[in-house]
Amino acid sequence: MQDLSWWKRAVVYQIYPRSFQDSNGDGIGDLAGICRRLDYLVDLGVDALWVSPIYPSPMADFGYDVADYCGIDPIFGTMQDFDDLLEEVHRRGLRLILDFVPNHTSDQHPWFVESRSSRDNPKRDWYIWRDQPNDWQSHFGGSAWELDAAARQYYLHEFLKEQPDLNWRNPAVKAAMFDALRFWLRKGVDGFRVDVMWLMIKDDQFRDNPPNPAYAAGQSTRNKFLPVYDADRPEIHELVAEMRGVLDEFGDRVLIGEIYLPVQRLMHYYGQELRGANLPFNFQLLQCPWTADDLVRTIGDYMAALPEGAWPNWVLGNHDNPRIASRIGVRKARAGALLLFSLPGTLTIYYGEELGMQDVLIPPDETQDPAEKRQPGIGMGRDPERTPMPWDASRSCGFSEGQPWLPIGDANRAVNAGSSRNDPGSMLSLYRRLLQLRRAEPVLVSGTLANLHVADGVIQFVRSDAGKEFAILVNLADEARRVAVEAGSIIACTELSREGEAVREAVHLMPAEAAIIALS
Ligand code: GLC
């Protein structure tokens, strides 16, 4: 285990900075706030932080519209605050991963301001300009092309019109963006999570996407067409390998790619000879229906598809998807946590998952997310999973002295970090135990996974390594189950008090109960 790169052993904790901890009373989280909460993360037992974008931004998409790749937005603090954070993170033996947003800039970025100023501006070709639009649709609904009246040309925006797409076929764009990566790498950041990696290169002939026969009224207009020509193009892999090369100039850093693709396509992002992304994000568990059969198939397919030597990774939630506790219910989310921590590879958890945080219903007139504003009422909004972290039971839950930018929600207030800390029945206690176990038992990180199957609604598999063998059982049936298993003892259970229980030939599991058994 010691010879594994740090990121292979890591449990990464994603922070959505607007919602983690406010330090100046403006109701929006910031870098000094994160710094104040580092000891909580050490106590929790995670290894690395990934912080969603903190760069200067008009915040049309809350930081995913970057106006300067080498700065800090004043909402989040100053460059000094960043340097302090990095130092404090490293002093505690943690790692810091930044979010890099290469597909598009803000329309306020000086590059785009220049680019749109005239057809013959030297930066014109830094973005994607066409005389005629094609049928490509924005991920936030509507055409992905915006007419710029002055020069009577259209520019491409895969997201908001305030987020024009960069032209990565232009070597000058590549050089400038790679230099931005180097700026942070030189400071000592430990890696990047790359936003929408699979979208960065588009068809050079701008062919129309074919219609999607499965499109149904009420879905996002993005679904009207199959993304054949504006996503996952063959040339992307060379670009990812080059990006990886930039990180490799600095030693053991990690390149994580945000990629929503079917498993077979996803695997290409590890690259030829694994020279692509270290971790193409595996979102299979985010999208999988939560039944034993579906989960076993999903996990099995992913493991089977991994290229030789490729390192697996798993995610239950992020800032773009409903929270796991809301998706499957709090009880099953405990089983989900135990399942997650029993899988091989790198894990990423989303802030608040460790508390069992739930989505918060946002009244329409309090909507913040542009995805919801542009296509209201069809489930596109991401505010519910971005609400402030509840630290204690005070008015703003210790998140802010002021009015939080999104409501905290009663359910989340009730499971705040403070009251969860010493409650053995809390989700937090379960997460702390699972994190501790994962550190103590490398077999959970890097041991083989075998005998994955479902019996009677119970997921079962075995993790093993030289001399150690753990049986994992997750009961997703609606009734209690008695599961035959070899002799051993329970070393982790969704019912924490069962730890240490001896197992002879069978274990009794209540619905949504899950356990790790060390076989003797
Ligand atoms: C990614 C981000 C999402 C953002 C989009 C555009 O999917 O995770 O939050 O809106 O890219 O940058």
Side-chain angles (χ1 to χ4, degrees):
M1 174 97 152
Q2 288 320 316
D3 54 349
L4 290 179
S5 299
W6 66 270
W7 55 266
K8 291 188 172 177
R9 284 177 274 128
V11 176
V12 179
Y13 186 95
Q14 181 191 354
I15 290 180
Y16 194 69
R18 294 181 73 85
S19 293
F20 198 59
Q21 176 66 58
D22 177 20
S23 72
N24 63 357
D26 65 358
I28 297 174
D30 46 45
L31 295 177
I34 297 174
C35 220
R36 245 177 65 194
R37 296 295 186 181
L38 289 179
D39 289 332
Y40 167 84
L41 298 176
V42 171
D43 181 62
L44 178 60
V46 298
D47 305 283
L49 281 58
W50 147 35
V51 184
S52 287
I54 50 178
Y55 314 105
S57 165
M59 302 288 165
D61 189 18
F62 296 114
Y64 284 96
D65 46 324
V66 177
D68 171 5
Y69 287 94
C70 299
I72 299 293
D73 194 282
I75 284 188
F76 298 123
T78 62
M79 192 57 86
Q80 187 59 51
D81 291 329
F82 176 80
D83 292 340
D84 292 347
L85 175 65
L86 184 60
E87 194 182 321
E88 290 298 314
V89 163
H90 283 163
R91 202 164 63 77
R92 287 167 175 79
L94 301 171
R95 307 282 183 151
L96 186 63
I97 297 167
L98 289 187
D99 209 311
F100 191 61
V101 190
N103 180 68
H104 43 267
T105 69
S106 161
D107 63 347
Q108 305 300 308
H109 195 295
W111 297 342
F112 188 70
V113 173
E114 271 196 55
S115 183
R116 87 187 308 176
S117 67
S118 75
R119 284 191 183 217
D120 50 14
N121 184 278
K123 290 221 165 45
R124 188 69 170 178
D125 193 38
W126 281 44
Y127 293 82
I128 299 174
W129 293 95
R130 304 280 296 164
D131 290 334
Q132 290 300 324
N134 60 15
D135 68 6
W136 297 355
Q137 299 286 305
S138 153
H139 288 249
F140 292 148
S143 171
W145 297 95
E146 178 72 10
L147 178 63
D148 187 58
R152 291 186 314 284
Q153 270 194 322
Y154 295 81
Y155 65 87
L156 180 68
H157 58 91
E158 284 282 330
F159 293 89
L160 298 174
K161 67 175 171 26
E162 291 83 4
Q163 293 167 294
D165 280 41
L166 280 166
N167 175 15
W168 275 87
R169 292 178 188 275
N170 181 337
V173 167
K174 219 192 285 186
M177 290 296 276
F178 286 176
D179 276 346
L181 287 174
R182 290 188 186 97
F183 172 82
W184 297 104
L185 290 164
R186 267 195 295 273
K187 278 188 177 283
V189 309
D190 298 288
F192 294 95
R193 172 270 190 191
V194 176
D195 195 61
V196 298
M197 185 181 261
W198 84 112
L199 301 180
M200 288 172 64
I201 293 271
K202 287 88 185 168
D203 181 39
D204 56 356
Q205 296 163 54
F206 297 94
R207 282 168 282 191
D208 276 335
N209 279 328
N212 175 9
Y215 176 75
Q219 293 179 351
S220 167
T221 69
R222 172 81 189 166
N223 289 0
K224 281 188 177 173
F225 302 93
L226 298 170
V228 174
Y229 293 112
D230 65 342
D232 194 30
R233 299 301 303 162
E235 300 96 316
I236 184 63
H237 300 293
E238 200 184 309
L239 176 56
V240 173
E242 281 180 74
M243 196 178 261
R244 163 75 179 277
V246 175
L247 272 75
D248 286 350
E249 292 166 18
F250 294 82
D252 201 12
R253 315 290 170 108
V254 68
L255 182 64
I256 306 175
E258 185 205 19
I259 301 151
Y260 286 91
L261 284 176
V263 167
Q264 297 297 336
R265 310 284 323 163
L266 176 70
M267 294 304 170
H268 292 290
Y269 287 77
Y270 282 104
Q272 296 241 336
E273 290 157 16
L274 304 182
R275 282 187 290 105
N278 299 109
L279 301 173
F281 255 142
N282 167 16
F283 295 136
Q284 306 304 310
L285 295 180
L286 271 179
Q287 296 161 333
C288 180
W290 211 260
T291 72
D293 288 317
D294 286 303
L295 287 164
V296 160
R297 191 175 331 107
T298 300
I299 295 167
D301 288 352
Y302 175 80
M303 292 305 293
L306 277 175
E308 178 78 30
W311 193 252
N313 77 93
W314 307 90
V315 170
L316 293 180
N318 62 32
H319 63 295
D320 295 325
N321 289 280
R323 285 183 176 274
I324 181 83
S326 294
R327 217 158 12 104
I328 66 175
V330 178
R331 258 183 80 74
K332 280 196 181 153
R334 293 176 68 86
L338 190 135
L339 174 65
L340 175 75
F341 279 88
S342 302
L343 292 170
T346 304
L347 311 180
T348 303
I349 60 182
Y350 183 48
Y351 84 95
E353 245 163 42
E354 76 279 18
L355 302 177
M357 245 176 107
Q358 300 180 45
D359 290 347
V360 178
L361 191 69
I362 310 292
D365 60 341
E366 288 174 39
T367 296
Q368 303 275 349
D369 182 15
E372 176 68 21
K373 287 185 178 165
R374 285 193 47 82
Q375 301 192 100
I378 59 166
M380 305 307 292
R382 301 164 297 177
D383 292 331
E385 62 262 21
R386 296 177 172 180
T387 58
M389 177 82 169
W391 294 101
D392 59 38
S394 65
R395 196 177 59 87
S396 295
C397 291
F399 164 70
S400 173
E401 296 291 315
Q403 179 67 26
W405 76 289
L406 280 175
I408 290 179
D410 293 342
N412 291 338
R413 174 184 300 276
V415 295
N416 65 74
S419 64
S420 299
R421 178 65 175 80
N422 295 316
D423 171 3
S426 69
M427 186 74 96
L428 183 58
S429 295
L430 177 63
Y431 265 79
R432 290 179 66 234
R433 171 65 188 136
L434 291 169
L435 276 150
Q436 196 186 35
L437 187 66
R438 202 158 166 104
R439 277 204 183 173
E441 300 288 2
V443 55
L444 289 173
V445 177
S446 55
T448 52
L449 185 159
N451 202 13
L452 173 68
H453 67 285
V454 184
D456 235 5
V458 181
I459 300 177
Q460 308 189 21
F461 57 93
V462 173
R463 301 295 314 281
S464 58
D465 221 341
K468 275 219 169 152
E469 214 175 3
F470 291 169
I472 289 78
L473 307 175
V474 182
N475 181 15
L476 293 182
D478 292 331
E479 301 89 36
R481 289 279 186 255
R482 185 174 180 276
V483 187
V485 63
E486 288 168 45
S489 67
I490 295 182
I491 54 166
C493 184
T494 45
E495 182 59 57
L496 245 51
S497 61
R498 291 189 69 179
E499 253 178 64
E501 190 179 306
V503 174
R504 292 215 168 74
E505 55 208 21
V507 199
H508 190 270
L509 293 175
M510 298 301 284
E513 195 169 14
I516 305 177
I517 298 159
L519 303 177
S520 40

